[in-house]
Amino acid sequence: MNSEVQERQTEKMVSIDTAIKAAVSPVQTHESQLNTYRTELQRLRADNERYRAQFDAAPIGYLTVDRFMNILEANTTGGNILGNHHEHDRDQPLSAYIRSDDHDRIQTHINAVVAGNKATLRTTITTDGKSTPVMLYSTPVHVLGSDTCLCQTAMMDVSEHKAAEDQLRKANDSLQHTTHHDSLTSLPNRLFFNARFDNALLRARHTGKKVALLLLDINRFKNVNESLGHEIGDLLLKEVAQRLQHTVRDCDTVARLGDDEFTVVLEQIESSEEVSHMADKIIKALALPYDVGSHEICTAASIGVSIYPEDSINNEEMIRFSHVAMDRAKTRGSNYVQFFTAELNSAQRKRFKTESDLRIALRESQFELYFQPQLDLCQQRVVGYEALIRWNHPEKGVLRPDSFIQIAEETGIIEPLGEWILTETCLKLKQLREAGIDNIRMSVNVSAKQFTAGNLQEKIAAILEKTGTPGHALELELTESALLDNTARSIKVLRELRDEGIELSIDDFGTGYSSFSRLRELPLSRIKIDRSFVRGIPENQEDNSIVKAIICVAHEMGMQVVAEGVENYAQAEFLSHVNCDLLQGYHIGRPMQFCHVVSELVKNQ
Ligand code: C2E
Ligand code: CA
Ligand code: CA
């Protein structure tokens, strides 16, 4: 029903009384006039009843209210909204149904209407302990024959609209939450972290306190994901998130930036000792074993820290510095907290430069393989060569691997580089075969990163196939740590390589923590005794005993032994005396370019 209809209806009702009074006025005495009035009166009554019925049946609540909020009239729906089940309820003013803090708004609304204006208002009717959100559409109604103006209000129950609105708001809130939080851990995500971190720095500018930015890396998280599956990995991350949140204070922020990368912003910091203390607490909390999906997992974290304002006052720079520190912490091993320093930064810059130079080197073929001979004491001839990489740097000259292999490993360049080394070695073997030399084995150093990267077997098989190299002409040198990090997987990979006929040896033996009993499970052909043990023989009795013992046990286990770094005759003689199988070192021959290998082999044929 539109407002004009309501207006007419009310006017009509108010006018009925006046009309009845007029109809029975003693001044009107004439019989016909009286009849006319009676008819008119009946018509008016009928009209009134009809309007009353319509008025009550309307799905909208109607109220007539005076300026004191007295409810003069209400239709059935209006009464229902007000919860007027009892007669005595009807004497209550409108304010009785409205929360007291909304009274002023209601009064202003009514004042405006009785002053002759139309007005709308949204409020809540509270009755019988139930709240109904309503919309009020009010129009002024003039009482005939008086200058009193009443407020005629159509009252609409908008609970459903409200519910829809609430739903929309909730959906909006949850969208907000999703865009700002990580779905797995519910921690702030990178976007939200950036905003929180900016605010933390702003606050610190005012309070004069420090802010520490901690970047965390969960060590070997990839291993968990790969070996136990993503579900377990996810559970682990959730647990890490919870532990972090429980460890920090209310004023601190924990966020997840990516896979296993978490960050903590510590605010209101007075000294770097405080940061140290908090970082240690975090390390300890994360180092406790995790009980996830019936697995007990042990992991550790590496933490990089930068502090405002000492290290930087710029948020982006602080993030970068914490990264630099974290990268260093990772190389220092588990549970290590590294604070940012200016030296770290310059070292990092150097590394960035080396990294980009390495990529160029790979593209522009600046690498070259040198080959160091291995002498078989039994056969009294050179039976193999170890391929050792050199970098023909355009400015720095020939560089040895110590200055770049680690960076290549950390940056992942080792993978394409390693593939190049393997291919190049096989191509050289092919050249030897083409020169009629087929009794030479070449060994290639395989870094831990290459070994754990996966599909090494397939890559090597493809290279052997492409170059027509028989598997037994190739030997891979692996380090103890690469093999023992994940023994079950190592055994599988090594077996597959062995099936191709490839020989496997363990490099730098004695420098790691492996024991013979653990090595026994691996299909190895050879052990290479580290240079550091060979250096002391034959003068150093301890070294002599160690070397003798290694040779003895290796032979027991059916493996050959190569002594590395043999620099003089005395060492060679001792090693020969204790039944070492192969010698490698400057005394036998220095690493040399391939052309020299060919001429030497051809000469000795
Ligand atoms: P490594 O595998 O232990 O290689 C032997 C190192 O000892 C070589 O150093 C070799 O030049 C050096 N050497 C050989 N005989 C003697 C000796 O009698 N006395 C002394 N003092 N040193 C001797 P290089 O070529 O500088 O290689 C250093 C390390 O770099 C290697 O140690 C190996 O771990 C790594 N590397 C070399 N080439 C490669 C490669 O192609 N791939 C990978 N992943 N690593 C490589
Ligand atoms: Ca080696
Ligand atoms: Ca070695």
Side-chain angles (χ1 to χ4, degrees), residues 415-416 419 422 453-464:
E415 288 187 45
E419 227 173 300
L422 281 160
N455 70 355
L456 181 71
Q457 315 91 290
E458 288 100 40
K459 276 187 186 153
I460 294 181
I463 294 170
L464 291 180

Side-chain angles (χ1 to χ4, degrees), residues 232 274 327 400-401 541 567:
I232 300 291
E274 230 180 293
D327 285 345
R400 291 182 59 149
Q541 290 307 320
E567 291 184 350

